[in-house]
Amino acid sequence: MAQRSKHMPVTGKPGGEIRPPVPDVRNYDILGQLPDLHSIGRYCTPDDISRFLRNIFSVLDGDRQRMAGWRTECGRLMDRITDSGHHELKNIHEDLNRIEIERFLLTFSVAALHHNCTHYRDELAKRAMKVVADELESRGNPLPQIPFALISMGSDGREEQTLITDQDYLIVYGDGGGEQVDSYFLEYSSLLVDRLEEAGFKRCTGGIMPTNSTWRGSLSQWRKRLLAIVRYEMEDYSKNIMDLIVLSDARYVAGDRSIAGSLIELIRVMERDYFQVLWGMARTATEMRLALGFMKRLWTEGSGEHKGEFNLKLLAWAPLVMNIRILAINQGVPATNTVERIAFLEKEGSFSTEMAQALRDAYYILTKYRILMQINVIKGIQGDAHYLNPYGLPAEEHEKVRHAIIKIEELQKIIHTNFSIV
């Protein structure tokens, strides 16, 4: 028997054989492939038809029961979050992730996995915040009587959480508290990052956490910081542009919704009002490399550990998300979710119906394989969740991935033209 590649994405039923991915036929016109139903008796007997229908109903009923079981189990786990300590939160988090793996391998629904992972991680984060506040109060350091909020960014800010996550959070609080409040939220942030890590949220390798002073402050401190970025008053231009890009996906998670809304609106206004900053972001987006080579064939590494593979995140998925983000900011689109942004841009005329659908298809096919590779990592099949061997895919899936990246190249050209980038 041939040895399975360590980088082969997984599909199939949970607990069953791990197999190479098969084409997703759920949207195909299956009836269009069958003979005319009025003459089906030419091909099979009534007993054959009855047996076939019974098998279909049995499979569908089994899947329905599994879905119902997962909903019930998720409900119980979500109820447990309310009274759990940070150590128990990790077990709950792992169980919820396990359910999402099983559900995804049955349905391949990217949208459902995004929704579910984002929702339960919001609830876990809210509970961690309460645990931290109670812990500090027990030490004689109660929560100040001042509004504050936790805001997420990155995939969480876009409501696109997947199976492997890290912390991409900032904290904003009300003005007028002085150094005493600043000191409290430094201690609060340090403990929160620890408790989130213990609950299964990895620390952000890029430092996008409220323990970093860049991602914590009062509303007036945030306003001063943002103005310094957009007016080029701070050193390290590239880092500041990347920070602003990250902030573009800011989304309220917990705490005082009003102060969170004030900061998010401030970010949006500054991005729109300071066009030279948005232009710099657009140039960065259009210069992102894609996994396309000669004659628009998929490019892969020519040597090394990942020979024959390419980084799906850096060379396909991230450029798509980034370029959609730029157009959305430029058009004042309020949504942070990539698919919702595409819908807004289609509605206001930035994309034709065909282009919008192609970009949605691109997002879903690329994200599907990102999730499958994360499952490989979780199951111990491979050590890296980013590198894909496109030539190990069925021909039709390979072509879907290639076509997705070609559409991203077209998107980059649209932005290149719209922003007059030379």
Side-chain angles (χ1 to χ4, degrees), residues 117-158:
C117 288
T118 300
H119 173 63
Y120 64 68
R121 293 213 178 99
D122 279 0
E123 295 305 310
L124 289 165
K126 290 175 188 176
R127 180 56 188 164
M129 291 173 69
K130 181 66 167 60
V131 167
V132 167
D134 290 346
E135 191 170 342
L136 289 177
E137 185 168 7
S138 70
R139 299 178 188 175
N141 195 6
L143 191 67
Q145 296 300 306
I146 196 164
F148 79 104
L150 185 72
I151 292 174
S152 65
M153 298 157 289
S155 60
D156 191 32
R158 294 189 304 277

Side-chain angles (χ1 to χ4, degrees), residues 104-208:
F104 184 78
L105 291 175
L106 177 67
T107 66
F108 285 119
S109 174
V110 170
L113 184 136
H114 279 337
H115 171 81
N116 295 331
C117 288
T118 300
H119 173 63
Y120 64 68
R121 293 213 178 99
D122 279 0
E123 295 305 310
L124 289 165
K126 290 175 188 176
R127 180 56 188 164
M129 291 173 69
K130 181 66 167 60
V131 167
V132 167
D134 290 346
E135 191 170 342
L136 289 177
E137 185 168 7
S138 70
R139 299 178 188 175
N141 195 6
L143 191 67
Q145 296 300 306
I146 196 164
F148 79 104
L150 185 72
I151 292 174
S152 65
M153 298 157 289
S155 60
D156 191 32
R158 294 189 304 277
E159 300 178 89
E160 295 169 359
Q161 281 271 23
T162 53
L163 298 167
I164 297 176
T165 188
D166 61 4
Q167 300 182 41
D168 284 330
Y169 293 117
L170 66 82
I171 281 180
V172 58
Y173 47 89
D175 295 319
E179 293 183 1
Q180 183 176 357
V181 169
D182 291 342
S183 177
Y184 175 88
F185 281 107
L186 170 58
E187 185 176 2
Y188 179 95
S189 298
S190 298
L191 190 56
L192 179 63
V193 167
D194 288 344
R195 295 295 174 257
L196 285 171
E197 183 179 28
E198 291 162 359
F201 296 69
K202 295 180 180 179
R203 289 175 181 260
C204 175
T205 56
I208 304 174

